[in-house]
Amino acid sequence: MKIRTSCLWLVLVFVIVIVNVVSSCARMGNPDGGWFDETPPRVIGAIPEDKEINVDSRKITIQFNEFIKIENATENVVVSPPQLEQAEIRGAGKRILIELKDSLKPNTTYTIDFSDAITDNNEGNPLGNFTYSFSTGNHIDTLEVSGTVLEAENLEPVKGILVGLHPAEESGLPREDLQNEKDSIPSLSGSLFRNSPFLRVSRTDSRGHFVIKGVAPGSYHAFALQDMDNNYAFTQKSEKIAFNHDIIVPSFKPDVRQDTIWADSLHIRSITQVNYTHFLPDDIMLRAFSEVMTDRFLLKAERKQANRFDVYFSYGHDSLPVIKGLNFDEKDAFVIEPTQKKDTIFYWLRDTALVDQDTLSMEMSYYATDSLGVLQYQTDTLEVLSKDPYAKRMKRLESELKDWKKKQEKAAKRGEPVDSVMPVKPLEVKWNAPPEMAPDQNIYVDFTTPLSVVDTSKIHLFSKIDTLWYEAPYEFRERPNIARSYELLGEWRPEVEYSLEVDSAAFCDIYGLVSGKYKHGFKVKSLDAFSSLLFTFEGMAGRHVVAYLLDRSDKPVKTVTTDDGTAQFFYIKPGTYYLRMFVDDNNNGQWDTGNYDEDLQPEEVYYYPREIECKEKWDVTLSWNPKSTLLLNQKPRALIKQKDQKKKATIKNRNAERAREKGIEYIQGVTGVKL
């Protein structure tokens, strides 16, 4: 009996020990009150070995000292030379298994750039900037080039776009000429980027930054490509691209940099100088753009509302489609509203009988691009169905009539006057008239349907002088390129009160609906309530420039064009602003993109790199050379939407906080030092 009891105690002690061990293992990443693991995984071996030469195997195994995981290998890992058939890359415990599907090229250096995709399986510590390489020849190419890709239109960093190299010899000049005539490079060969995949490739990070590794000595062109069909060549106009004529000759030099060691997130422990190999060039700048989609084809025709159908094309044309009705008479049947680019056309049905017809069958003749890219006249048969059919609208109208009758019956019981006929809804009018205005502001009015009558004799504007009201002059006109929108312009005088009074039936639409009365009082602010800004663009005299004063969301609040290098902004409300400008080379008033086949770069865009503070009664004068600051440093951080991706709370900061709780000093990688 005693022996049996002793055995039970031994078993119980054994179970307790096992439970404690398992529990300890489960908390090994973060034991209560202990330190968080901040050590990234470490490579302890690879088959073939890293930087091995004369490799003929397409299967690679990389071994680590702890369990790892790899995040989104498809997007984060880049194999160079680019693989037309995607490589298989996966994590397996403490290993990464790689299988290249393409045949290996002879005498070629291969690099597999993992960036920060590899982390430990416990705390997610990244193995930063890890690259594995091997060569099928007898040497390894180790040169690197780096730079940045920005959106040409707004200097926004472009994340995840491919950046690759092509040999510069393929542009048509011999190598010795390429290196000596950088300012007189001819047009790039159209086939260079279209028929040949990249020689080396990389991908940009959240800052738009890229590093192309494993580059051999030589001369190169750099391209960026948002590859839609995974062939590493520019084969679709929908693919975002970037190119320039800069000749890239990789090189390196010994250099020294300063490394800062932080005691915690606020305190610097030491600053040391570190020798390193500086690869050049490291400032390649590519401005990415999307070409105008000039291929024209019919996208769709739809009828969301009963009284209108819309036709959408991929690209506009000066010649509008010709419509022949198959179950209706098309003569004088529409009010036609094309957009400014004429790629979308609205057809308003004049006749209510057509509005009540749920299906419109028609032949539409228009210009479209054929398979060879040539515009041809073609005819399609269309059936456009209303998404708000007649029966549904009648049911809705019956419900409204029923509700109206109930209201009339209740009014009659209360002895109130009643209507014998349900009143017609008035024309919907949307006035944009604030209670306070700037002297350069105007009043806008929008309509949901086209107008047939605009009677300006029923529009009255009055200004108050002393205590008396007088009629004030105004102009009422359509806004250019904005359908069913009008503006009222007046001679707005500071500190003067105005009254806008509109009689009923001033506006009537094509269906006979008329507008009701409208009255609005407002005042023009004093000049002392505003600021003004005079901007001088150094080096831009004689060039047509369009400048935008921007709010905090990067949206223009004022626009100025200039040819003499000075831009003046008046009546600015107090606040913080920014400035963007572009060089309008063709003087059309709008930013124009580039074209690869025509060797045409997008129009130059610049940002003033600092905030502009405007206060009441202030006249701000600034001078700036747009080319004095690198493009990648121009756009203010407050306006950048593609933020640099960083962990909100790093392991290091969490350990530093834990050290403060324990009353000990924290040194990265070393803990337990008493204060």
Side-chain angles (χ1 to χ4, degrees):
M1 186 68 178
K2 291 183 179 179
I3 295 174
R4 184 175 300 174
T5 303
S6 176
C7 290
L8 288 174
W9 274 107
L10 288 173
V11 171
L12 181 60
V13 170
F14 179 75
V15 169
I16 292 173
V17 170
I18 293 297
V19 169
N20 286 335
V21 170
V22 172
S23 176
S24 176
C25 291
R27 299 195 308 268
M28 64 183 297
N30 177 21
D32 291 340
W35 304 107
F36 294 95
D37 174 23
E38 63 180 53
T39 306
R42 179 168 49 87
V43 176
I44 59 175
I47 303 174
E49 290 186 9
D50 188 20
K51 296 182 175 56
E52 187 170 331
I53 60 175
N54 298 318
V55 173
D56 59 5
S57 173
R58 289 182 291 169
K59 292 186 177 181
I60 302 159
T61 301
I62 304 175
Q63 188 76 31
F64 295 86
N65 66 330
E66 60 179 310
F67 289 98
I68 57 94
K69 57 185 176 182
I70 182 166
E71 297 182 4
N72 201 349
T74 303
E75 293 185 7
N76 294 330
V77 181
V78 179
V79 180
S80 193
Q83 304 293 289
L84 297 180
E85 185 175 355
Q86 188 171 325
E88 182 180 326
I89 303 173
R90 60 188 177 89
K94 296 183 179 182
R95 298 177 298 164
I96 288 180
L97 306 178
I98 305 164
E99 183 176 356
L100 304 180
K101 301 296 185 179
D102 288 2
S103 299
L104 296 179
K105 298 179 180 180
N107 300 314
T108 300
T109 295
Y110 281 76
T111 58
I112 304 175
D113 189 352
F114 292 89
S115 186
D116 292 334
I118 301 172
T119 62
D120 63 26
N121 201 42
N122 191 23
E123 294 290 355
N125 295 298
L127 175 60
N129 300 319
F130 172 61
T131 300
Y132 169 88
S133 62
F134 68 87
S135 175
T136 58
N138 58 10
H139 72 282
I140 289 278
D141 295 319
T142 58
L143 294 175
E144 300 177 7
V145 297
S146 58
T148 306
V149 182
L150 302 177
E151 289 278 4
E153 186 174 8
N154 56 20
L155 303 191
E156 187 76 11
V158 182
K159 177 187 176 183
I161 195 170
L162 292 175
V163 185
L165 299 179
H166 273 293
E169 298 93 316
E170 295 182 20
S171 65
L173 285 179
R175 176 177 297 181
E176 59 271 18
D177 292 337
L178 285 170
Q179 296 186 28
N180 297 328
E181 300 182 13
K182 293 184 180 180
D183 297 328
S184 59
I185 305 299
S187 298
L188 297 176
S189 169
S191 62
L192 174 63
F193 198 13
R194 290 197 178 278
N195 300 333
S196 304
F198 291 130
L199 190 66
R200 311 296 301 177
V201 70
S202 180
R203 196 184 296 272
T204 57
D205 62 16
S206 60
R207 300 169 298 158
H209 184 258
F210 66 89
V211 180
I212 304 176
K213 301 180 180 181
V215 182
S219 300
Y220 301 92
H221 281 301
F223 298 87
L225 175 68
Q226 195 174 61
D227 195 11
M228 306 295 289
D229 48 11
N230 297 318
N231 64 355
Y232 299 93
F234 179 47
T235 54
Q236 300 183 27
K237 291 179 73 68
S238 60
E239 294 177 325
K240 185 177 294 185
I241 62 169
F243 72 96
N244 57 39
H245 286 168
D246 294 346
I247 301 302
I248 297 168
V249 181
S251 62
F252 66 93
K253 65 176 182 178
D255 212 335
V256 178
R257 67 165 180 259
Q258 288 186 339
D259 274 8
T260 302
I261 299 176
W262 294 83
D264 54 36
S265 58
L266 299 176
H267 303 92
I268 295 175
R269 169 157 295 282
S270 63
I271 299 177
T272 60
Q273 290 192 334
V274 179
N275 295 320
Y276 76 105
T277 301
H278 190 163
F279 292 100
L280 299 168
D282 59 358
D283 58 354
I284 300 170
M285 174 55 61
L286 293 169
R287 298 187 299 136
F289 62 92
S290 297
E291 293 188 359
V292 175
M293 295 288 293
T294 55
D295 290 344
R296 191 171 197 257
F297 50 88
L298 177 64
L299 294 172
K300 63 179 178 178
E302 64 179 4
R303 190 178 170 191
K304 290 184 178 180
Q305 54 195 75
N307 59 349
R308 190 184 89 187
F309 68 89
D310 310 329
V311 179
Y312 299 88
F313 290 92
S314 61
Y315 192 70
H317 194 275
D318 289 337
S319 177
L320 297 180
V322 175
I323 290 179
K324 178 183 178 182
L326 299 180
N327 64 348
F328 66 94
D329 184 2
E330 77 281 354
K331 186 177 180 181
D332 200 30
F334 314 119
V335 172
I336 303 175
E337 288 180 351
T339 58
Q340 182 179 2
K341 295 181 179 180
K342 297 181 179 179
D343 54 358
T344 303
I345 307 155
F346 306 125
Y347 292 87
W348 293 89
L349 306 176
R350 292 180 180 273
D351 191 345
T352 53
L354 276 184
V355 175
D356 293 340
Q357 188 171 322
D358 287 343
T359 302
L360 299 177
S361 300
M362 66 192 79
E363 285 184 352
M364 187 171 69
S365 301
Y366 59 95
Y367 282 99
T369 307
D370 63 14
S371 58
L372 299 177
V374 179
L375 278 175
Q376 299 286 352
Y377 205 61
Q378 72 177 52
T379 301
D380 291 340
T381 300
L382 303 176
E383 279 198 351
V384 186
L385 279 66
S386 174
K387 294 185 178 180
D388 188 17
Y390 177 77
K392 185 178 179 180
R393 287 184 287 117
M394 288 301 100
K395 188 174 181 180
R396 191 164 60 240
L397 182 60
E398 288 175 3
S399 177
E400 292 175 359
L401 181 59
K402 187 177 180 180
D403 292 341
W404 174 79
K405 285 182 178 180
K406 287 182 179 180
K407 290 180 181 178
Q408 296 301 305
E409 291 172 358
K410 290 180 180 179
K413 289 180 179 180
R414 294 192 298 266
E416 299 173 356
V418 296
D419 296 323
S420 58
V421 180
M422 182 177 175
V424 178
K425 290 182 179 180
L427 176 66
E428 185 177 348
V429 184
K430 297 178 180 178
W431 290 94
N432 182 2
E436 290 187 315
M437 289 177 48
D440 62 344
Q441 221 171 332
N442 290 312
I443 293 173
Y444 301 110
V445 55
D446 298 307
F447 301 89
T448 56
T449 51
L451 299 183
S452 60
V453 175
V454 176
D455 189 350
T456 55
S457 68
K458 296 183 177 181
I459 302 175
H460 312 282
L461 181 66
F462 301 96
S463 61
K464 187 177 182 182
I465 301 176
D466 295 329
T467 59
L468 301 177
W469 290 92
Y470 297 89
E471 281 208 44
Y474 70 87
E475 181 183 356
F476 191 82
R477 67 186 185 189
E478 290 188 69
R479 298 175 69 186
N481 302 315
I482 304 178
R484 305 178 303 284
S485 186
Y486 297 76
E487 60 183 347
L488 188 147
L489 296 81
E491 297 178 358
W492 312 124
R493 299 179 181 179
E495 300 183 75
V496 173
E497 290 183 48
Y498 291 85
S499 178
L500 174 62
E501 301 176 13
V502 183
D503 301 333
S504 59
F507 310 107
C508 179
D509 74 355
I510 61 175
Y511 304 112
L513 296 180
V514 297
S515 59
K517 288 185 177 181
Y518 176 78
K519 184 175 181 179
H520 175 68
F522 58 95
K523 184 177 181 179
V524 178
K525 289 183 177 182
S526 165
L527 294 180
D528 289 342
F530 301 99
S531 177
S532 65
L533 172 64
L534 173 63
F535 228 108
T536 301
F537 304 120
E538 298 175 5
M540 290 293 168
R543 303 190 71 181
H544 190 66
V545 169
V546 178
Y548 300 105
L549 193 65
L550 309 169
D551 62 16
R552 292 180 181 271
S553 60
D554 205 17
K555 294 180 179 178
V557 295
K558 290 185 180 293
T559 305
V560 170
T561 60
T562 177
D563 294 298
D564 62 4
T566 59
Q568 300 182 67
F569 298 91
F570 298 104
Y571 310 121
I572 304 171
K573 295 179 181 179
T576 301
Y577 297 92
Y578 305 88
L579 186 132
R580 178 176 74 237
M581 57 158 285
F582 73 89
V583 181
D584 189 12
D585 289 324
N586 58 5
N587 202 12
N588 68 349
Q590 63 184 24
W591 180 83
D592 293 298
T593 189
N595 186 287
Y596 176 71
D597 289 333
E598 297 177 9
D599 195 20
L600 181 66
Q601 290 289 331
E603 290 179 329
E604 301 167 32
V605 173
Y606 302 95
Y607 274 80
Y608 182 64
R610 290 180 289 279
E611 293 181 346
I612 303 169
E613 194 67 34
C614 294
K615 299 181 180 180
E616 292 182 354
K617 303 180 184 180
W618 275 33
D619 295 325
V620 182
T621 301
L622 295 171
S623 183
W624 169 53
N625 184 342
K627 297 188 177 181
S628 63
T629 305
L630 294 175
L631 284 182
L632 64 93
N633 296 328
Q634 285 196 6
K635 189 169 186 177
R637 292 187 62 84
L639 300 184
I640 296 176
K641 297 179 177 61
Q642 177 58 57
K643 300 299 184 183
D644 186 11
Q645 293 178 346
K646 295 181 179 179
K647 290 189 175 182
K648 293 182 179 179
T650 63
I651 302 300
K652 181 185 72 174
N653 289 341
R654 289 157 64 189
N655 274 338
E657 181 64 28
R658 180 62 54 82
R660 283 192 290 271
E661 292 173 358
K662 289 177 173 289
I664 60 177
E665 186 176 8
Y666 169 76
I667 305 174
Q668 186 175 0
V670 180
T671 52
V673 181
K674 294 184 179 180
L675 288 170

